[in-house]
Amino acid sequence: MNSYEKLLLENKAWASGKLAENPGYFDNLAHLQTPEFLWIGCSDSRVPANEITGTQPGEIFVHRNVANLVINTDVNVLSVLDFAVNHLKVKHVIVCGHYGCGGIKAAVTKTDFKPVLNMWLRNIKDVYRLHREELDGIKEEEKRTDLLTELNVKEQMLNLAKTSIIQRAWQKEQRPDLHGWVYGLHDGIIKPIVEMKAGTDIDPLYEFEHL
Ligand code: CO
């Protein structure tokens, strides 16, 4: 059997298991999606949003990319954010990074990863530059990249707050709250790093009026 065929086989077993537990399982899910959370996480295969939070299908709306970035010109992440905030009406947006992130580690090297990855990782180098003094002061490499992982999550939260999507929802509906978390590959524990309640003041430079 090919490795991908095993996935299809496992899928059949999973679906019949769900039906055995609850014959209406798929009918219910097919009719309604009302997740309370949007999860913006890393694509890393070791950080599956549902599994590590003990949530079921239907509970978390998920977007994942390399190093969990929220980039102003990324139509993909912005579409997900728009849909989650304005249509699904999520109450919380979670940006979850993880220690040991390959994207973060790659960004602090001088390696040329060729155009597309260079473009992507540049955003992490920019986060490093904003906190250069603090990061350069840490001698141990792992501790330094751990801190960069946390600072990167904080920066992505600010990037969320800079969007008119978030600002409009904050002003009109006092939601969603933003949460910055970091997951530990070594112990499976999620550490909350930073929180921005709906309506938190942001740098006026990024504020929109007449939303
Ligand atoms: Co990662």
Side-chain angles (χ1 to χ4, degrees), residues 175-187:
R175 64 165 185 90
D177 295 335
L178 310 182
H179 308 266
W181 296 350
V182 179
Y183 174 75
L185 292 176
H186 55 287
D187 60 5

Side-chain angles (χ1 to χ4, degrees), residues 161-178:
K162 289 174 190 169
T163 66
S164 56
I165 300 169
I166 289 294
Q167 288 183 30
R168 192 175 298 115
W170 277 5
Q171 194 181 92
K172 299 201 185 306
E173 299 182 31
Q174 286 75 53
R175 64 165 185 90
D177 295 335
L178 310 182

Side-chain angles (χ1 to χ4, degrees), residues 97-113:
H98 67 102
Y99 299 116
C101 181
I104 299 285
K105 284 186 196 164
V108 296
T109 70
K110 291 184 175 177
T111 307
D112 174 8
F113 291 97

Side-chain angles (χ1 to χ4, degrees), residues 128-193:
Y128 194 111
R129 177 173 48 77
L130 289 171
H131 305 276
R132 188 191 288 273
E133 212 171 317
E134 190 181 0
L135 286 160
D136 280 350
I138 300 173
K139 289 287 158 274
E140 200 184 316
E141 194 180 324
E142 195 179 328
K143 285 209 174 107
R144 198 164 57 239
T145 46
D146 282 357
L147 178 61
L148 180 57
T149 300
E150 294 174 3
L151 293 170
N152 180 53
V153 163
K154 286 184 188 170
E155 196 66 28
Q156 306 319 313
M157 300 254 305
L158 294 179
N159 286 344
L160 284 171
K162 289 174 190 169
T163 66
S164 56
I165 300 169
I166 289 294
Q167 288 183 30
R168 192 175 298 115
W170 277 5
Q171 194 181 92
K172 299 201 185 306
E173 299 182 31
Q174 286 75 53
R175 64 165 185 90
D177 295 335
L178 310 182
H179 308 266
W181 296 350
V182 179
Y183 174 75
L185 292 176
H186 55 287
D187 60 5
I189 299 297
I190 294 171
K191 179 174 152 191
I193 298 292

Side-chain angles (χ1 to χ4, degrees), residues 34-83:
T34 53
E36 198 178 319
F37 311 97
L38 165 61
W39 173 280
I40 300 173
C42 184
S43 297
D44 193 304
S45 63
R46 298 165 294 179
V47 195
N50 280 123
E51 200 163 335
I52 65 175
T53 57
T55 48
Q56 299 300 315
E59 292 190 78
I60 302 193
F61 198 64
V62 173
H63 175 81
R64 290 167 70 178
N65 63 39
V66 172
N68 39 270
L69 300 180
V70 177
I71 294 169
N72 186 37
T73 50
D74 178 4
V75 175
N76 190 346
V77 72
L78 295 178
S79 302
V80 170
L81 182 67
D82 189 349
F83 188 73

